[in-house]
Amino acid sequence: FGIALKIAILLMAAGIAGFDTSALVGMLAAAGFAVGLALQGGLGNFASGILILIFKPYKVGDWIDINGKFGKVEEIQIFNTILVTPGHKTLIIPNAQVTSQIVTNYSKKGFIRLEIDIHMPYEESFPKIKGIIEQVLEKTPLVLNEPVPQIGIETFDNFFVKISVKPYVKPDDYWDVTYDIRSRLKAAFSANHITVTYPESVRQGEIGG
């Protein structure tokens, strides 16, 4: 209040002395408006930060998605949430955006499901391939026994049968296990002489079991 009073007195004195103060008053008004908007946004982020700390929708170390921005929570500040992406990029997200958007927490339950698709030719035997996949999952480190992995036929395409493989892992192990399973599956299919489909040069074959 004291600063505002001093500015008003200076403006009055300048006006009495014959100076044109209209431009200066306009600049001060615009500056005041801008400061007000900045404070409004800052207060919104501050209030959202308090809500996040109280209700804890996520914590440091969790993998989350905020409006399409995915990463691991590195720090929860009073105004911002800091994420680090799998590519080691730092995302600084205002907390007001967090409380106004849908937040997906991949770490809340302690495990996450992988989704790996395999294209099986119609002439191959599904029970045979399912057995190979089960053996691969049993021998792959970091794949969880509970919940039980799911293996099933997802869809029947024109050229192949789409098999969905859905094991569960800890969130921090997601990418390592994904690459490991794919590598092991390729080796197992090769060792068991499992054929694959090539849509560019489709060949007909009998339907397996």
Side-chain angles (χ1 to χ4, degrees), residues 5-81:
L5 180 61
K6 291 177 182 179
I7 293 175
I9 293 173
L10 288 174
L11 290 174
M12 290 175 61
I16 294 173
F19 292 100
D20 184 7
T21 59
S22 58
L24 182 58
V25 170
M27 292 175 61
L28 290 174
F33 180 71
V35 170
L37 288 177
L39 289 175
Q40 183 181 13
L43 289 174
N45 289 325
F46 177 81
S48 296
I50 296 298
L51 291 175
I52 292 169
L53 292 173
I54 292 175
F55 294 104
K56 296 180 173 60
Y58 52 80
K59 64 182 184 299
V60 172
D62 283 355
W63 288 95
I64 65 173
D65 184 292
I66 303 172
N67 196 28
K69 305 299 182 182
F70 175 76
K72 191 174 187 178
V73 180
E74 184 176 70
E75 187 177 357
I76 303 174
Q77 300 177 346
I78 199 63
F79 291 102
N80 304 295
T81 291

Side-chain angles (χ1 to χ4, degrees), residues 32-173:
F33 180 71
V35 170
L37 288 177
L39 289 175
Q40 183 181 13
L43 289 174
N45 289 325
F46 177 81
S48 296
I50 296 298
L51 291 175
I52 292 169
L53 292 173
I54 292 175
F55 294 104
K56 296 180 173 60
Y58 52 80
K59 64 182 184 299
V60 172
D62 283 355
W63 288 95
I64 65 173
D65 184 292
I66 303 172
N67 196 28
K69 305 299 182 182
F70 175 76
K72 191 174 187 178
V73 180
E74 184 176 70
E75 187 177 357
I76 303 174
Q77 300 177 346
I78 199 63
F79 291 102
N80 304 295
T81 291
I82 311 299
L83 303 183
V84 177
T85 70
H88 296 285
K89 297 178 182 177
T90 299
L91 303 179
I92 303 172
I93 301 179
N95 286 331
Q97 291 188 19
V98 176
T99 54
S100 64
Q101 302 287 343
I102 295 176
V103 178
T104 303
N105 190 330
Y106 294 92
S107 301
K108 192 74 171 180
K109 298 297 183 179
F111 55 83
I112 188 172
R113 187 178 70 183
L114 304 185
E115 297 190 9
I116 299 174
D117 294 331
I118 296 171
H119 295 167
M120 179 189 80
Y122 275 92
E123 60 264 32
E124 285 290 356
S125 167
F126 172 68
K128 176 183 177 181
I129 289 185
K130 183 179 180 182
I132 294 171
I133 295 172
E134 289 174 340
Q135 291 177 8
V136 167
L137 295 182
E138 290 173 359
K139 296 178 181 179
T140 302
L142 305 178
V143 170
L144 301 178
N145 295 323
E146 292 291 338
V148 178
Q150 298 172 308
I151 305 169
I153 295 176
E154 188 78 17
T155 58
F156 294 97
D157 193 83
N158 290 334
F159 310 121
F160 53 79
V161 178
K162 182 179 178 182
I163 300 176
S164 183
V165 182
K166 299 177 179 179
Y168 291 82
V169 300
K170 294 181 179 179
D172 284 343
D173 299 329

